[in-house]
Amino acid sequence: MNVFRILGDLSHLLAMILLLGKIWRSKCCTGISGKSQILFALVFTTRYLDLFTNFISIYNTVMKVVFLLCAYVTVYMIYGKFRKTFDSENDTFRLEFLLVPVIGLSFLENYSFTPLEILWTFSIYLESVAILPQLFMISKTGEAETITTHYLFFLGLYRALYLANWIRRYQTENFYDQIAVVSGVVQTIFYCDFFYLYVTKGRSWDNSTDAGTGLTSYSSIQ
């Protein structure tokens, strides 16, 4: 455990809380990809199957439970409580284009051919591409609520901090997890365009936000 790992976890948690808070306060899930949230819920489910069989630390257990709860509450809000506000017409990314290759790769490239290990590997590969339906939705509509951009920013920051965590662990522990590192790099790359625009043009986006809808134009990422 190092400062980059802790900050990465906190950034990840903040992203999820921001998204949940946005949905709860506005009673609306417009602009949020339900498909991405389903994929993230699947990521946490398959990764944390060892929750009650492999105790690492109180911190680790608490974070696993919190991530699972946040993921499933988000999915429930989108497809249950506030389903009438869900923009299904624009959330059209074909999940099979992600799930089929990820499942295949999980069986081909893993550390041990056991059910738990394959499912853990599946979760790592899936997390690297789970944000694509959300990014596709933004590129399709050309706009997003400001809070959604903050959500994406903190998710990207979480991945960047985890890259720093892996570098630090290699320096101090000579530990290197090839599957996690390569998947993390791939995931970070997907955020790069959005991350650059967020940092360099965030002020202009804020100024261009429609006061009536809370939406910000993202035509530049299409």
Side-chain angles (χ1 to χ4, degrees), residues 23-86:
I23 297 174
W24 184 256
R25 287 194 306 271
S26 65
K27 311 298 182 185
C28 175
C29 51
T30 301
I32 299 172
S33 170
K35 291 186 176 181
S36 270
Q37 297 309 312
I38 287 176
L39 293 181
F40 281 124
L42 185 57
V43 165
F44 296 133
T45 302
T46 53
R47 183 174 304 173
Y48 300 150
L49 290 174
D50 65 346
L51 182 60
F52 301 106
T53 61
N54 185 22
F55 179 79
I56 298 175
S57 67
I58 294 177
Y59 171 85
N60 183 272
T61 299
V62 169
M63 292 300 281
K64 286 179 178 180
V65 171
V66 171
F67 284 148
L68 281 167
L69 286 175
C70 287
Y72 277 98
V73 170
T74 301
V75 171
Y76 164 71
M77 286 186 175
I78 294 173
Y79 290 101
K81 191 173 183 63
F82 304 120
R83 63 183 179 277
K84 292 182 179 179
T85 67
F86 173 52

Side-chain angles (χ1 to χ4, degrees), residues 152-154 156-157 160 190-200:
L152 291 172
F153 171 80
F154 282 107
L157 181 61
F190 287 137
Y191 286 98
C192 281
D193 183 47
F194 168 83
F195 195 84
Y196 172 77
L197 293 172
Y198 182 97
V199 172
T200 60

Side-chain angles (χ1 to χ4, degrees), residues 7-167:
L7 290 176
D9 288 342
L10 292 177
S11 179
H12 195 180
L13 182 59
L14 179 58
M16 299 179 77
I17 291 174
L18 281 173
L19 190 64
L20 276 172
K22 178 267 176 188
I23 297 174
W24 184 256
R25 287 194 306 271
S26 65
K27 311 298 182 185
C28 175
C29 51
T30 301
I32 299 172
S33 170
K35 291 186 176 181
S36 270
Q37 297 309 312
I38 287 176
L39 293 181
F40 281 124
L42 185 57
V43 165
F44 296 133
T45 302
T46 53
R47 183 174 304 173
Y48 300 150
L49 290 174
D50 65 346
L51 182 60
F52 301 106
T53 61
N54 185 22
F55 179 79
I56 298 175
S57 67
I58 294 177
Y59 171 85
N60 183 272
T61 299
V62 169
M63 292 300 281
K64 286 179 178 180
V65 171
V66 171
F67 284 148
L68 281 167
L69 286 175
C70 287
Y72 277 98
V73 170
T74 301
V75 171
Y76 164 71
M77 286 186 175
I78 294 173
Y79 290 101
K81 191 173 183 63
F82 304 120
R83 63 183 179 277
K84 292 182 179 179
T85 67
F86 173 52
D87 186 9
S88 59
E89 291 184 0
N90 288 313
D91 193 16
T92 56
F93 194 95
R94 299 282 294 276
L95 293 187
E96 59 268 30
F97 291 164
L98 301 179
L99 290 172
V100 171
V102 165
I103 291 171
L105 190 59
S106 301
F107 279 92
L108 293 173
E109 292 292 334
N110 53 68
Y111 293 128
S112 175
F113 203 76
T114 62
L116 282 180
E117 187 64 30
I118 290 174
L119 288 170
W120 177 85
T121 305
F122 168 82
S123 77
I124 297 297
Y125 292 148
L126 183 60
E127 186 182 15
S128 69
V129 295
I131 198 61
L132 288 182
Q134 180 67 67
L135 296 178
F136 177 79
M137 188 176 187
I138 292 176
S139 68
K140 184 177 180 180
T141 62
E143 59 186 19
E145 291 194 15
T146 302
I147 195 67
T148 308
T149 69
H150 297 332
Y151 163 73
L152 291 172
F153 171 80
F154 282 107
L155 276 185
L157 181 61
Y158 143 67
R159 294 317 309 178
L161 287 167
Y162 254 65
L163 290 180
N165 162 60
W166 290 323
I167 293 172

